Amino acid sequence: MDAARVLAAINGRILRAYSRRTVEALRAALPLRLALPHLERTLALNVDKEVRKDALVIRRAAESVAAGRAPGRDDLQHLYDESKRVDREFLDQSRAFPVGIVLRYDAIAPVRLARIERLLAAACRILQAWRREGAARAAIRASFGRMELERLLRELLSLYAEETRLLSQAVQLPKLLVPAREKIAHKLLDTMRRVAARLAADLANLVHRGT
């Protein structure tokens, strides 16, 4: 079994569930309903690119575990550079949609590097446990207690939300909505944080059910 591939697939399901729950919550938020048509398709593309980037992080973690070494700054820099390559492909795809996006890496870099570093460390921990436990759920449960897992998931999803907020600020909106851009971005972040907290709790309970 390719544990890294399985873990990346689990992570992908989590991010897509997060995106789906977020869109459902945004549809119910009156201040965002006017902006949502201009954001929703971009957010859908965004989750695909984040799944791809996270898969690269998990694969790097597997390589580190196999080599018996802890990831270092070179790994973080490599993964950050790779994430920018995925961004370029995302921007090429987004040109097919009625939005324009210009990414500001001076704002994005600290958030993205924090998320890469946290996910890389967590993936190494889980993949090391996987060698002993032989299955995904058992490895995750052996690596993180319920509360610790909930905190980890909430932190990772909140970092994802922060980068999504920065992405939303880069989306070109119709002139009518431009004055409300900051309000829209902060409402998006608030909604995503609330969804992150609930999803993190649900997932931690699911993993530790029966223990």
Side-chain angles (χ1 to χ4, degrees):
M1 178 189 295
D2 186 338
R5 180 175 294 181
V6 174
L7 187 58
I10 292 170
N11 180 76
R13 289 198 294 273
I14 291 171
L15 292 187
R16 290 192 170 94
Y18 185 36
S19 182
R20 186 170 58 251
R21 287 193 186 192
T22 296
V23 170
E24 290 169 358
L26 292 176
R27 284 177 180 153
L30 183 59
L32 286 171
R33 280 210 291 256
L34 291 174
L36 191 58
H38 305 282
L39 295 174
E40 189 171 350
R41 284 178 290 183
T42 299
L43 294 177
L45 271 179
N46 184 56
V47 74
D48 288 339
K49 79 176 174 66
E50 293 305 312
V51 167
R52 289 174 58 197
K53 287 191 291 191
D54 282 3
L56 293 173
V57 174
I58 293 167
R59 177 57 59 190
R60 193 75 167 192
E63 292 168 358
S64 294
V65 170
R69 64 173 182 84
R73 302 309 302 179
D74 288 346
D75 296 286
L76 289 176
Q77 186 60 51
H78 170 78
L79 289 166
Y80 179 69
D81 292 341
E82 282 293 287
S83 77
K84 292 169 77 172
R85 176 184 60 79
V86 175
D87 284 342
R88 288 193 293 272
E89 295 172 3
F90 163 70
L91 291 174
D92 287 341
Q93 288 178 291
S94 71
R95 291 193 183 102
F97 294 95
V99 293
I101 300 173
V102 178
L103 298 180
R104 291 181 51 240
Y105 283 105
D106 57 330
I108 289 172
V111 178
R112 182 173 296 181
L113 283 167
R115 182 158 166 259
I116 290 172
E117 186 171 19
R118 193 73 180 93
L119 178 61
L120 186 62
C124 284
R125 194 165 163 182
I126 293 168
L127 291 170
Q128 286 168 343
W130 204 308
R131 291 180 162 188
R132 303 187 304 272
E133 303 293 337
R137 184 180 176 189
I140 296 170
R141 200 159 48 193
S143 301
F144 300 97
R146 193 193 68 78
M147 292 300 295
E148 189 181 9
L149 179 60
E150 183 177 340
R151 283 195 300 270
L152 168 68
L153 291 169
R154 188 169 62 247
E155 180 182 353
L156 288 171
L157 293 174
S158 293
L159 288 167
Y160 177 102
E162 177 61 28
E163 186 165 342
T164 302
R165 179 186 69 82
L166 294 169
L167 176 67
S168 75
Q169 290 179 315
V171 172
Q172 292 179 5
L173 296 173
K175 290 182 180 179
L176 180 66
L177 295 174
V178 169
R181 180 186 295 278
E182 284 300 318
K183 183 177 181 180
I184 290 168
H186 285 293
K187 183 65 177 178
L188 173 64
L189 180 60
D190 179 65
T191 299
M192 292 190 76
R193 282 175 172 168
R194 285 189 286 103
V195 172
R198 181 68 263 167
L199 180 58
D202 289 347
L203 291 170
N205 288 335
L206 179 63
V207 169
H208 283 276
R209 181 185 297 163
T211 60

